[in-house]
Amino acid sequence: MLKRYVIERDLPGVGGMSNTDLGGAAKTSNAALDEIPGVQWEHSYVAGDKTFCIYLAESEERIQEHAAKSGFPANVVTEVLTIIDPTTELYCSA
């Protein structure tokens, strides 16, 4: 069963990268993912000198393996325990 993780990566200058540069980074990441079973990249948020990446993976070890193969650090890896959104209030008993 795959778990969802948020990966915080310190990548100085990433916020100033062009779409071409970001595409190259995605290509590098995808190539590493092709070699590692049990890990999937959903999407990433670029904010200043960091990215916050959302992954599905069997374990944190798979995330770290991807970081090593891709060359993109996984500075903080946090398992997502649950997801809430604006509709969550519809399911609570007040």
Side-chain angles (χ1 to χ4, degrees), residues 6-73:
V6 176
I7 299 100
E8 181 178 334
R9 302 182 193 279
D10 294 331
L11 297 168
V14 71
M17 291 175 75
S18 69
N19 284 342
T20 300
D21 292 335
L22 292 171
K27 183 177 182 177
T28 297
S29 180
N30 288 334
L33 287 167
D34 286 344
E35 298 178 24
I36 307 167
V39 61
Q40 300 171 21
W41 177 28
E42 289 192 330
H43 61 275
S44 296
Y45 301 97
V46 178
D49 286 336
K50 294 181 180 283
T51 61
F52 297 89
C53 305
I54 311 301
Y55 275 65
L56 297 175
E58 294 173 348
S59 65
E60 182 176 341
E61 289 74 26
R62 294 286 192 211
I63 301 288
Q64 295 297 347
E65 185 178 350
H66 173 263
K69 280 191 180 293
S70 67
F72 300 123

